[in-house]
Amino acid sequence: MSSTSAPPTDGWDASTRIGVVVPHADVGPEAELQAMAPASVSVHGSRIHFAAMRAGGEMDEKIPHDPVRAFVEPPFLDQAVELVAASPLHALTLGFTSSSYVLKAQGEQALYQRLAPFTRGLPITGTTRAARAAFHALGAHRIAIVNPPWFDDTLSGQGADYFREFGFDVVHHGPCGLPSNQKAITPDNLSAWIRTTVAPHRPDAVLVAGNGIRAVGTIRPLEEELGFHVITANQVILWHALHLADAAHLAADITDYGHLFTATPKDGHA
């Protein structure tokens, strides 16, 4: 089965159905998830207005921190999760990275606990939770984090602190030096940044954070060239959601998007 096969016509007859909650104008998560997913997996979204995103889906040059926190505060996120969970799904994901950076480990745990009554018992994950599971599954301890250019240095530092709370050695982090425009980030210029700026730090794995970055096209070429694992925000939530949905066998069908899809979450990190 090819990972690029067309999905079922409306998605509801797919054998595995994943819901994703994203900012209102961010098409990146749904587009990348469906591009990677086998034909038997469908993706269904719910959207929340995000004040840092301008009309037309463009991000601010540097996103303000208050909306990042407000995105995960009740009642809007709770309502969005409840709405998408009312559909016949198998797992839920949050397609948003920076809020976990701001919440830190304890705040993120409290967030998932708060959302539990709205999930209809469905398993739920998000970018940072899935990334942690991915690092453990890949045996990666020395990690690098490539953040979107619309994250400022403070937000990037909070992301590094988040992963350090879980015992990872963050050998490099920072906003990538590319235009702060979702449409201007390409596999070529993103790969060049990782090759020249990140690779010299010799991480076990690099996370391209930020679900708004279209990054999955960099994964396989960079892994083959650089010899370390490359994971991205949308790749990890698909991988983790498939395992949480008891559809690990479908992850094995995804052959073009990195070593992660051959890995299994470790006990206690699923």
Side-chain angles (χ1 to χ4, degrees):
M1 182 183 297
S2 170
S3 62
T4 57
S5 299
T9 303
D10 62 6
W12 295 115
D13 56 345
S15 65
T16 301
R17 296 176 293 275
I18 297 170
V20 56
V21 179
V22 298
H24 76 286
D26 191 352
V27 299
E30 289 168 278
E32 288 206 326
L33 290 171
Q34 200 65 77
M36 289 183 286
S40 54
V41 176
S42 62
V43 177
H44 307 269
S46 180
R47 298 180 178 276
I48 301 176
H49 178 75
F50 179 41
M53 186 172 282
R54 303 189 295 273
E58 301 296 338
M59 301 299 299
D60 283 346
E61 183 72 20
K62 295 293 183 182
I63 58 174
H65 292 199
D66 286 346
V68 167
R69 181 178 290 274
F71 182 85
V72 292
E73 291 178 348
F76 300 113
L77 178 60
D78 310 60
Q79 292 169 351
V81 168
E82 185 174 32
L83 178 65
V84 74
S87 303
L89 301 172
H90 298 94
L92 302 171
T93 67
L94 303 180
F96 203 69
T97 306
S98 55
S99 294
S100 290
Y101 285 7
V102 172
L103 290 174
K104 303 180 181 179
Q106 185 174 358
E108 183 188 56
Q109 182 180 14
L111 170 65
Y112 283 112
Q113 290 172 343
R114 191 190 86 216
L115 293 177
F118 302 100
T119 63
R120 197 171 53 83
L122 293 170
I124 184 169
T125 190
T127 305
T128 50
R129 172 182 271 190
R132 289 190 283 110
F135 288 140
H136 285 294
L138 293 168
H141 177 66
R142 288 171 48 86
I143 66 170
I145 307 169
V146 175
N147 288 305
W150 48 86
F151 285 21
D152 62 20
D153 290 335
T154 298
L155 191 56
S156 179
Q158 289 173 321
D161 290 342
Y162 169 93
F163 284 103
R164 289 178 180 128
E165 284 189 80
F166 291 95
F168 294 103
D169 179 13
V170 181
V171 298
H172 172 80
H173 72 87
C176 61
L178 300 175
S180 189
N181 182 323
Q182 288 174 299
K183 298 174 184 176
I185 299 174
T186 67
D188 285 344
N189 61 21
L190 181 57
S191 294
W193 176 262
I194 294 171
R195 186 180 300 114
T196 59
T197 306
V198 180
H201 295 274
R202 301 176 64 186
D204 300 326
V206 58
L207 166 65
V208 181
N211 297 82
I213 289 186
R214 302 289 289 271
V216 297
T218 69
I219 299 170
R220 184 173 178 178
L222 283 178
E223 286 191 335
E224 291 176 351
E225 175 188 351
L226 301 177
F228 54 71
H229 301 293
V230 178
I231 67 174
T232 76
N234 295 318
Q235 175 214 36
V236 293
I237 59 174
L238 175 61
W239 168 80
H240 203 209
L242 288 174
H243 283 276
L244 294 176
D246 292 326
H249 61 289
L250 297 177
D253 291 334
I254 302 174
T255 58
D256 294 329
Y257 295 100
H259 296 139
L260 179 61
F261 288 104
T262 67
T264 302
K266 304 294 185 184
D267 290 344
H269 298 289

